[in-house]
């Protein structure tokens, strides 16, 4: 198995990697999914779906937009994003961006049963603390990354009683640390940044200037541009352009209009300007996606099947058909170890 987050010398040999583990086989049925990915380029958006348990995402590096409960949240490296059971979420109209991320699913404790190795009297308190977090997106401490990496490294250790104890301690420490981070009040500027992201999404078919964005946040244009770039890694104008391209792609794939219609609808100065921006951010010409279905899969990857409409439900037991499975480019060899093709996993159905 490739340890792309732990062994820094080997990270460069695998530019695209996505890996899943069912920790039931390691003695922790409460964690039916523990995963990690690294993308060297943006890929197809993550379509709207739900889970029957908590999902905790930690963005190691890069940036990523997530959408939940009608709001967009822009994550940067070092941020956490949490969704509750049965809560629809996706990347909205944005692609899955270049970067690396850890995530895990956590099921609720069962009555009078141990939870992550804890006695039942303590397990309910641990889960309750996580459930009381109000913010969906917040800053993680350096300890969160360290705990994720240490947990990941245990997957390759020999199967011994000490490994199970170590993994249990790491999981409990991770949940406690995430809860502690979630209890901290979010900075006012962070809340305002999420508001401006929402504002941009609402204005996707309009023209908005940097002074308008700065006015919305009630700060100067220079401070707004510096703050936005610091948090997102790009100027506000580029982010808004990427957003318009994403919306235009969705419009073309729906078959509602042609390239010229999309350029006009999303306020590009010309069809050529639209085509240039589209190729820059997607790697393909807009004419190549015209009239395609929204859920057409990328040729480079094998994403988990997404519903063409409605909400895709992915329950934990659907992932237990194999201990782990992998998604990778077609020209890459499969890592050693047993695995299954995630495209063959059956979801429980649409809600």
């Amino acid at each position: 198995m490739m340890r792309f987050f732990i062994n820094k010398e080997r990270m460069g040999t695998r530019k695209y990697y996505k890996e899943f583990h069912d920790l039931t086989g390691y003695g922790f049925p409460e964690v039916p999914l523990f995963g990690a990915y690294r993308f060297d380029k943006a890929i197809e958006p993550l379509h709207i779906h739900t889970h029957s348990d908590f999902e905790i995402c930690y963005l190691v590096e890069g940036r990523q937009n997530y959408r939940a409960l009608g709001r967009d949240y822009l994550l940067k490296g070092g941020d956490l994003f949490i969704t509750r059971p049965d809560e629809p979420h996706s990347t909205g109209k944005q692609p899955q961006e270049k970067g690396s991320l850890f995530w895990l699913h956590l099921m609720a404790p069962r009555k009078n049963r141990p939870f992550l190795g804890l006695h039942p009297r303590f397990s309910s308190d641990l889960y309750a603390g996580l459930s009381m977090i109000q913010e969906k997106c917040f800053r993680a401490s350096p300890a969160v990354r360290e705990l994720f990496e240490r947990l990941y490294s245990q997957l390759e250790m020999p199967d011994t009683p000490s490994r199970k104890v170590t993994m249990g301690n790491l999981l409990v420490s991770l949940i406690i640390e995430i809860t502690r981070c979630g209890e901290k009040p979010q900075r006012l500027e962070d809340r305002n940044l999420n508001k401006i992201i929402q504002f941009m999404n609402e204005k996707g078919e309009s023209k908005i200037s940097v002074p308008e964005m700065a006015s919305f946040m009630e700060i100067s244009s220079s401070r707004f541009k510096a703050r936005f770039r610091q948090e997102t890694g790009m100027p506000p104008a580029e982010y808004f352009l990427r957003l318009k391209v994403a919306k235009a792609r969705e419009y073309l794939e729906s078959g509602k209009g042609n390239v010229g219609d999309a350029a006009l609808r999303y306020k590009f100065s010309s069809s050529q300007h639209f085509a240039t921006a589209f190729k820059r951010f997607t790697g393909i010409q807009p004419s190549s996606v015209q009239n395609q279905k929204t859920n057409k899969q990328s040729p480079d990857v094998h994403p988990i099947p997404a519903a063409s409409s409605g909400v895709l439900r992915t329950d934990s037991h659907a992932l237990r058909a194999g201990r782990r499975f992998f998604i990778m480019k077609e020209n890459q060899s499969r890592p050693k170890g047993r695995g299954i093709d995630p495209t063959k996993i059956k979801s429980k159905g649409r809600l």
Side-chain angles (χ1 to χ4, degrees), residues 266-338:
Y266 293 99
K267 304 298 187 294
F268 287 88
S269 59
S270 65
S271 295
Q272 182 58 47
H273 176 218
F274 170 56
T276 301
F278 197 97
K279 178 69 180 293
R280 175 187 172 191
F281 294 124
T282 67
I284 56 178
Q285 294 291 343
S287 56
S288 66
V289 299
Q290 187 173 327
N291 297 324
Q292 291 181 349
K293 292 182 179 180
T294 304
N295 66 341
K296 183 175 177 61
Q297 296 181 351
S298 167
D300 288 336
V301 297
H302 301 290
I304 295 176
S308 58
S309 62
V311 178
L312 177 68
R313 176 65 174 267
T314 55
D315 283 295
S316 301
H317 70 269
L319 299 171
R320 292 182 178 167
R323 188 170 182 177
R324 65 188 182 203
F325 53 91
F326 306 87
I327 303 176
M328 62 192 71
K329 289 184 178 179
E330 292 179 345
N331 61 357
Q332 290 180 334
S333 60
R334 182 180 297 275
K336 293 181 180 179
R338 298 178 62 185

Side-chain angles (χ1 to χ4, degrees), residues 149-328:
E149 290 181 339
R150 289 176 62 190
L151 179 62
Y152 185 84
S153 69
Q154 288 296 315
L155 301 178
E156 290 187 345
M157 296 298 178
D159 186 7
T160 62
S162 62
R163 183 182 72 168
K164 182 176 180 179
V165 173
T166 300
M167 291 182 69
N169 287 337
L170 289 171
L171 284 166
V172 171
S173 297
L174 180 61
I175 301 306
I176 291 174
E177 185 63 20
I178 289 172
T179 301
R180 189 184 69 81
C181 294
E183 291 172 345
K184 292 182 178 180
Q186 191 181 25
R187 292 180 302 174
L188 178 61
E189 286 188 330
D190 288 337
R191 293 198 297 269
N192 286 341
L193 185 64
N194 282 328
K195 289 181 180 179
I196 194 63
I197 297 300
Q198 186 69 22
F199 178 69
M200 288 182 176
N201 274 278
E202 293 171 354
K203 299 292 184 179
E205 296 181 16
S206 307
K207 287 185 177 181
I208 55 174
S209 64
V210 170
E212 285 181 272
M213 299 179 198
S215 177
F216 181 82
M217 289 187 66
E218 300 180 346
I219 57 177
S220 67
S221 294
S222 58
R223 178 172 173 76
F224 169 69
K225 288 191 290 185
R227 176 65 177 165
F228 194 94
R229 184 160 196 150
Q230 177 186 354
E231 295 298 327
T232 67
M234 68 180 81
E238 180 180 337
Y239 183 89
F240 189 56
L241 183 60
R242 290 167 64 95
L243 177 64
K244 293 206 297 181
V245 166
K247 288 177 176 286
R249 178 170 185 168
E250 186 178 71
Y251 175 77
L252 288 174
E253 290 175 335
S254 70
K256 295 178 180 178
N258 56 32
V259 173
D261 295 331
L264 183 64
R265 180 184 181 93
Y266 293 99
K267 304 298 187 294
F268 287 88
S269 59
S270 65
S271 295
Q272 182 58 47
H273 176 218
F274 170 56
T276 301
F278 197 97
K279 178 69 180 293
R280 175 187 172 191
F281 294 124
T282 67
I284 56 178
Q285 294 291 343
S287 56
S288 66
V289 299
Q290 187 173 327
N291 297 324
Q292 291 181 349
K293 292 182 179 180
T294 304
N295 66 341
K296 183 175 177 61
Q297 296 181 351
S298 167
D300 288 336
V301 297
H302 301 290
I304 295 176
S308 58
S309 62
V311 178
L312 177 68
R313 176 65 174 267
T314 55
D315 283 295
S316 301
H317 70 269
L319 299 171
R320 292 182 178 167
R323 188 170 182 177
R324 65 188 182 203
F325 53 91
F326 306 87
I327 303 176
M328 62 192 71

Side-chain angles (χ1 to χ4, degrees), residues 41-58:
K41 64 179 180 180
I43 64 171
E44 293 291 310
L46 180 67
H47 294 279
I48 187 168
H49 63 288
T50 68
H51 306 290
S52 59
D53 36 39
F54 265 97
E55 182 175 36
I56 301 170
C57 299
Y58 172 70

Side-chain angles (χ1 to χ4, degrees), residues 84-193:
R84 297 174 181 274
D86 302 316
E87 187 173 88
H89 56 284
S90 67
T91 60
K93 299 181 184 299
Q94 299 293 329
Q96 296 181 72
E97 299 279 6
K98 174 182 177 180
S100 54
L101 177 142
F102 285 114
W103 79 101
L104 63 81
H105 290 187
L106 186 68
M107 299 176 65
R110 290 180 289 179
K111 188 175 181 180
N112 298 323
R113 297 291 297 274
F115 180 74
L116 302 179
L118 291 177
H119 189 278
R121 63 179 293 190
F122 301 116
S123 59
S124 58
D125 291 338
L126 182 69
Y127 192 81
L130 185 66
S131 302
M132 291 175 64
I133 295 176
Q134 298 297 314
E135 300 289 347
K136 300 197 68 58
C137 176
F138 50 93
R139 196 69 179 164
S141 67
V144 170
R145 175 172 181 169
E146 180 184 355
L147 288 165
F148 265 117
E149 290 181 339
R150 289 176 62 190
L151 179 62
Y152 185 84
S153 69
Q154 288 296 315
L155 301 178
E156 290 187 345
M157 296 298 178
D159 186 7
T160 62
S162 62
R163 183 182 72 168
K164 182 176 180 179
V165 173
T166 300
M167 291 182 69
N169 287 337
L170 289 171
L171 284 166
V172 171
S173 297
L174 180 61
I175 301 306
I176 291 174
E177 185 63 20
I178 289 172
T179 301
R180 189 184 69 81
C181 294
E183 291 172 345
K184 292 182 178 180
Q186 191 181 25
R187 292 180 302 174
L188 178 61
E189 286 188 330
D190 288 337
R191 293 198 297 269
N192 286 341
L193 185 64

